Amino acid sequence: MMITTISQSLTLPTPSIPSRDKNNMRPKNQSSMSEFLLLGLPIRPEQQGMFFTLFLGMYLTTVLGNLLIILLIRLDSRLHTPMYFFLSHLAFSDISFSSVTVPKMLMNMQTQHLSIPYVACISQMYFFIFFVCLDNFLLAVMAYDTYVAICQPLYYTTVMREELCILLVAGSWFFSCAHALLHTLLLSRLSFCADNTIPHFFCDLTALLKLICSDTSLNELVIFTEGGVFAFLPLCAILGSYIHIGATILGVPSIKRICKGLSTCGSHLLVVFLYYGTLAMIYFIPSSNNSKVKDIIASVIYTVVTPMLNPFIYSLRNRDMKLALGILYRRKIIFSK
């Protein structure tokens, strides 16, 4: 319902783009590009207040929910396990992921100050790519941890030892950093045209490439190859893990356990579908000029909606997390007396 309302309320403006004929092929170099103009969400003026309140509430839910997860895992020694170790990193990644784009979007909606400095725009693009990639890896690592816990419970403590957990998380951070740095360096060697208008609410890589006057074939090749690999491999790991988990659960003659397992896997796969489906819609499926509104809606889903859902899907529905929350609440009451 919320997505349908957003779709009906968006009307994409058509910014004026200077022509590039043969007599005017001299691009403005990116060193002289001091700032960009973010058009933001194409929302009607009378609906700005409603959507500002909606997105602010979703952002605060994302930040507070994920901070609560990190706090609970930090304070409760029973949550010092591989699964919650990965969850704490996912929670931090989701906070950072939303904070890269949403505050600037909210500020633009409230003040109508649409400009963003060149350095800030490139930095936003870097951190956006970084945390998208980090989320991909962490979701795959968590799926593997769940697979070992359910399908190979006798070997769980042997397989998921502390050294391996640290290595998996460190590798996720390292490859995410390298992935984002590669795209940033490839973009920095190109020359921007005179037009600095970005028809988006953040500095997205594909939106920036449309403002380039020089050859972008190498950038596009890297997006579809290296970027595709970094998205495809974690997705295969997630789906493979949950297929094995589903087969193991269905093989156990317990209706209660089957329903609980399918409910958990279904919730996780819903997040995976929203996350990877919207990413594929934008970056790997060719889009026409008429589908820009759909691309923006998809961007809102994976930058605002998905990070908000992760705490509820992966953590706050968990019995151990609820128990830790109850203990923390009782401690607060005791200390307040």
Side-chain angles (χ1 to χ4, degrees), residues 72-140:
L72 292 177
I73 295 174
R74 181 84 174 176
L75 295 179
D76 197 331
S77 59
R78 293 170 303 175
L79 301 181
H80 295 172
T81 62
M83 180 179 71
Y84 295 108
F85 174 68
F86 299 139
L87 277 173
S88 63
H89 282 269
L90 180 67
F92 176 80
S93 177
D94 283 336
I95 293 173
S96 304
F97 182 37
S98 287
S99 299
V100 168
T101 58
V102 178
K104 177 60 177 175
M105 177 187 73
L106 293 174
M107 186 179 73
N108 288 356
M109 293 175 66
Q110 189 70 11
T111 65
Q112 297 300 313
H113 182 70
L114 306 181
S115 63
I116 180 172
Y118 171 81
V119 174
C121 185
I122 299 302
S123 300
Q124 186 185 57
M125 184 204 72
Y126 169 83
F127 285 107
F128 177 80
I129 298 174
F130 174 81
F131 287 112
V132 166
C133 190
L134 182 60
D135 262 19
N136 290 345
F137 284 120
L138 290 177
L139 289 174

Side-chain angles (χ1 to χ4, degrees), residues 24 29 53 60 90 148 178 219 254 309:
N24 188 22
N29 189 276
T53 305
L60 292 178
L90 180 67
V148 177
N219 300 71
S254 172
L309 292 178

Side-chain angles (χ1 to χ4, degrees), residues 36-261:
F36 293 95
L37 188 66
L38 290 173
L39 295 185
L41 292 173
I43 300 173
R44 298 186 182 95
E46 64 272 14
Q47 296 177 329
Q48 290 279 350
M50 179 186 68
F51 278 98
F52 176 83
T53 305
L54 173 64
F55 291 132
L56 178 61
M58 296 172 70
Y59 175 67
L60 292 178
T61 302
T62 299
V63 173
L64 295 178
N66 284 288
L67 282 177
L68 178 61
I69 290 171
I70 296 174
L71 178 64
L72 292 177
I73 295 174
R74 181 84 174 176
L75 295 179
D76 197 331
S77 59
R78 293 170 303 175
L79 301 181
H80 295 172
T81 62
M83 180 179 71
Y84 295 108
F85 174 68
F86 299 139
L87 277 173
S88 63
H89 282 269
L90 180 67
F92 176 80
S93 177
D94 283 336
I95 293 173
S96 304
F97 182 37
S98 287
S99 299
V100 168
T101 58
V102 178
K104 177 60 177 175
M105 177 187 73
L106 293 174
M107 186 179 73
N108 288 356
M109 293 175 66
Q110 189 70 11
T111 65
Q112 297 300 313
H113 182 70
L114 306 181
S115 63
I116 180 172
Y118 171 81
V119 174
C121 185
I122 299 302
S123 300
Q124 186 185 57
M125 184 204 72
Y126 169 83
F127 285 107
F128 177 80
I129 298 174
F130 174 81
F131 287 112
V132 166
C133 190
L134 182 60
D135 262 19
N136 290 345
F137 284 120
L138 290 177
L139 289 174
V141 168
M142 291 170 57
Y144 175 72
D145 175 75
T146 306
Y147 158 75
V148 177
I150 295 178
C151 300
Q152 300 179 1
L154 299 178
Y155 300 97
Y156 182 79
T157 55
T158 304
V159 175
M160 301 304 298
R161 58 192 185 278
E162 183 179 358
E163 296 81 4
L164 178 62
C165 295
I166 295 175
L167 181 62
L168 288 173
V169 170
S172 299
W173 281 83
F174 173 78
F175 285 110
S176 299
C177 179
H179 174 69
L181 185 61
L182 174 62
H183 285 291
T184 304
L185 292 177
L186 287 176
L187 182 70
S188 65
R189 69 183 181 87
L190 302 176
S191 299
F192 286 93
C193 302
D195 180 43
N196 67 341
T197 303
I198 302 176
H200 217 304
F201 63 90
F202 68 96
C203 293
D204 182 51
L205 175 60
T206 55
L208 287 171
L209 288 177
K210 293 178 181 178
L211 303 181
I212 299 296
C213 286
S214 50
D215 183 24
T216 61
S217 57
L218 179 59
N219 300 71
E220 294 170 355
L221 179 63
V222 171
I223 290 175
F224 281 96
T225 55
E226 185 262 357
V229 169
F230 273 64
F232 182 72
L233 290 181
L235 178 61
C236 289
I238 293 171
L239 294 179
S241 298
Y242 282 118
I243 288 173
H244 282 87
I245 292 171
T248 301
I249 293 174
L250 293 175
V252 178
S254 172
I255 301 298
K256 183 178 180 180
R257 184 177 178 182
I258 290 175
C259 294
K260 182 179 179 180

Side-chain angles (χ1 to χ4, degrees), residues 305-326:
V305 179
T306 304
M308 182 187 66
L309 292 178
N310 279 344
F312 300 98
I313 297 298
Y314 287 98
S315 302
L316 297 182
R317 291 178 57 197
N318 186 283
R319 184 181 61 183
D320 294 334
M321 295 295 292
K322 291 180 179 179
L323 182 61
L325 183 60

